[in-house]
Amino acid sequence: MSRSATPPLEPFAIRFGESNQTLEPPGPTLQRRMSDLAGLFADTGAWERAVADGDPLVYTVSSSPVPETPRELPQSITTIYPGQTGGEFWMTKGHQHPDPQGEIYLGLDGRGGLLLFDGERAQWLDMAPGVIGYIPPGWAHRSVNVGDEPYRFLAVYPGSAGHDYGWVLEHGMGLRARRGASGVDLVPYRAAEPGSAGAPH
Ligand SMILES: [Fe+2]
């Protein structure tokens, strides 16, 4: 007998929506604008200017109706729009799973990267349509758009894994992905520089 207050779902089919942007039937969606990424880009001044200059949409997450509850297996499609802030590619906030469990990301469209960090070691996986990036338990993960088109991937993860975004603010991600002459430059992580917002006048 399940301890969950929510009864298990009945089997059902889930399909990719138009242009792989959504899952059908749809579930919850969220939008992350530049202002939602406070403290994440190394160049805080560039981040502040981007927020002031229209606060652009950086990425969206569209889920199926499968809930984030124990023993369920939710899915979502993330779309990261192309861009750089202070030379750093646009990216997701990144998170750690409070309950360490694995996850897979399947590349759908565009060119991206999957940055993984276990607190000591950082790994970078090149992502493209048809590539499955495997995230082992205990590795924080962030996705990055390294191309000129939207980068889109499907995530499938255990419903009880949870999302800890504060872990990344505290520990970083080991590397940063910047646009370089030959494509992607992975540089050692450094914390965000203090912004002008908190500076004395
Ligand atoms: Fe995750």
Side-chain angles (χ1 to χ4, degrees), residues 33-174:
R33 294 189 172 277
M34 190 60 75
S35 55
D36 296 313
L37 276 64
L40 297 177
F41 289 99
D43 187 340
T44 302
W47 172 79
E48 288 175 340
R49 289 190 292 278
V51 171
D53 185 20
D55 192 16
L57 183 62
V58 179
Y59 66 97
T60 64
V61 183
S62 299
S63 302
S64 82
V66 177
E68 292 184 346
T69 56
R71 298 193 289 178
E72 297 288 359
L73 201 58
Q75 323 91 36
S76 60
I77 290 176
T78 299
T79 300
I80 309 175
Y81 294 97
Q84 298 99 45
T85 296
E88 197 170 353
F89 285 113
W90 283 9
M91 59 194 181
T92 62
K93 295 175 73 168
H95 63 266
Q96 181 66 284
H97 294 159
D99 185 351
Q101 300 189 59
E103 178 170 9
I104 60 167
Y105 284 179
L106 168 64
L108 298 175
D109 294 296
R111 291 182 52 234
L114 173 52
L115 177 60
L116 300 128
F117 184 52
D118 72 352
E120 296 181 356
R121 296 171 295 160
Q123 297 273 340
W124 174 266
L125 304 180
D126 288 317
M127 294 293 293
V131 175
I132 293 175
Y134 178 60
I135 302 161
W139 289 73
H141 36 291
R142 161 179 287 165
S143 290
V144 184
N145 186 342
V146 301
D148 298 321
E149 305 291 334
Y151 165 56
R152 214 168 260 124
F153 64 93
L154 172 75
V156 184
Y157 56 99
S160 59
H163 295 84
D164 181 355
Y165 299 100
W167 191 95
V168 171
L169 287 169
E170 184 176 348
H171 300 279
M173 284 297 301

